[in-house]
Amino acid sequence: MDIDAARIVADTVLRAGPVLRPYRATSHRDPNRWQFGMLMPADLAAGDESLSATAQTECLIEAEPGVRLRVLLRFLQVQRRTVYRWLPDRGRFKPVGSLGVDGSAIASCDEPVEHEILFDVDEATLCGAGARHTIRVPGGFDRTELHDARRALVGQVVRHRRPLCAMLNVSAQPVPAPRPALRLRVWVENRTRAGADGHEVALTTALVASHLILSVDNGAFVSMVDPPGWAAEAAEDCANVGLWPVLAGPPGRHDTLLATPRILRDHPGDLLDSAVDELLQLRNLAG
């Protein structure tokens, strides 16, 4: 299995460059800037056709007895970082866009927090009723005091994370083919509710840069980019929405699959250097 290799590819093409650049407090919080794999809160998506709370990938597995699947869901959670200046004459803190501390500027912004959810699905579950996994990410509130070189209190940084809730469903059905094969479906939904605050908290209740890494024991993934002749018709019938699967790991390996919001080719490890260069150029052009 090449889960680590798939992680590197995903981090390069989804989570480098502009996606991880924080918003300044003076910037418009545009969800499109966190551009890949945005699963918005369910209640917002229900009222706006341009938003989606769900994504799905389907692919084919040549299954042997004892087939076993490992599912890794990865996404970013956006937390709000607010900087406060200490006002000693008033005995309180005041929120500010940026605070200078000993020549360094500390800014209020939105920050990414990484999450990985991993679970296994055995043959009986995979070929039976399937698996449903509820994902709950707790909210959080952290406070860090800021002191200058003389150890005088000058401010504080407060980080706030809203709780997230998502559902992951995994199921498989046999497909008519010359070889024993399964059509695997992995479906993820953001079930978080933004509530009355609506678009103001949309980013902090979204699953950002959502993608899947799948690995299989006693089986092999079929290329969805260039399926063999015996699997071509079944591959055409697979429905992928918001996630597109490619074989990961080195050429010749079929035990790991990467499903991302970006369309890649099979075994995309050789794209790393060029993707990093491209993202750095885009970041420089964007200033």
Side-chain angles (χ1 to χ4, degrees):
M1 297 183 188
D2 288 283
I3 288 181
D4 289 340
R7 275 194 183 98
I8 294 172
V9 174
D11 289 344
T12 301
V13 300
L14 291 177
R15 297 159 62 177
V19 173
L20 290 184
R21 294 180 66 194
Y23 292 103
R24 300 297 179 185
T26 55
S27 300
H28 175 60
R29 287 188 170 108
D30 178 9
N32 291 326
R33 240 186 116 178
W34 302 77
Q35 51 196 298
F36 298 119
M38 291 282 294
L39 298 184
M40 302 302 289
D43 54 343
L44 282 184
D48 188 338
E49 293 183 355
S50 67
L51 304 178
S52 178
T54 63
Q56 172 182 291
T57 191
E58 287 189 344
C59 62
L60 302 177
I61 299 177
E62 286 190 70
E64 301 175 4
V67 64
R68 186 178 183 89
L69 183 71
R70 173 163 288 186
V71 179
L72 178 63
L73 170 66
R74 307 177 77 217
F75 60 89
L76 300 176
Q77 176 187 25
V78 178
Q79 70 177 1
R80 293 271 156 90
R81 184 179 83 182
T82 305
V83 177
Y84 293 82
R85 183 190 305 276
W86 172 244
L87 304 176
D89 54 331
R90 300 184 184 180
R92 64 179 180 87
F93 290 98
K94 174 186 177 181
V96 294
S98 180
L99 178 65
V101 181
D102 295 329
S104 298
I106 302 175
S108 296
C109 63
D110 287 349
E111 299 176 322
V113 179
E114 301 179 7
H115 293 286
E116 289 192 352
I117 312 297
L118 176 67
F119 70 100
D120 294 329
V121 184
D122 60 23
E123 181 180 23
T125 302
L126 184 62
C127 299
R132 174 173 292 187
H133 190 73
T134 300
I135 299 160
R136 298 191 185 278
V137 177
F141 186 86
D142 305 319
R143 180 184 288 108
T144 303
E145 291 187 347
L146 300 173
H147 298 83
D148 63 17
R150 297 174 298 176
R151 299 185 180 276
L153 178 65
V154 295
Q156 67 177 4
V157 175
V158 174
R159 290 177 170 86
H160 180 221
R161 296 173 300 282
R162 291 180 175 269
L164 303 177
C165 179
M167 180 67 69
L168 189 65
N169 286 290
V170 181
S171 61
Q173 297 292 331
V175 296
R179 305 182 186 183
L182 299 172
R183 177 183 291 111
L184 173 69
R185 173 184 295 170
V186 183
W187 176 79
V188 58
E189 179 184 12
N190 183 359
R191 294 194 171 181
T192 311
R193 296 187 60 84
D197 293 329
H199 289 278
E200 175 59 27
V201 300
L203 278 174
T204 57
T205 49
L207 309 185
V208 179
S210 306
H211 58 284
L212 294 163
I213 300 175
L214 310 176
S215 64
V216 64
D217 284 326
N218 298 320
F221 291 107
V222 174
S223 171
M224 302 300 291
V225 177
D226 185 21
W230 66 267
E233 184 175 350
E236 283 288 335
D237 291 338
C238 290
N240 290 281
V241 181
L243 292 170
W244 285 268
V246 297
L247 299 176
R253 294 283 294 272
H254 289 256
D255 58 359
T256 306
L257 185 138
L258 172 64
T260 79
R262 295 190 67 176
I263 298 176
L264 304 173
R265 63 173 180 250
D266 284 337
H267 311 292
D270 58 341
L271 296 177
L272 293 179
D273 292 340
S274 60
V276 170
D277 290 342
E278 178 186 352
L279 288 168
L280 289 175
Q281 291 173 12
L282 289 172
R283 184 170 63 182
N284 292 335
L285 289 172

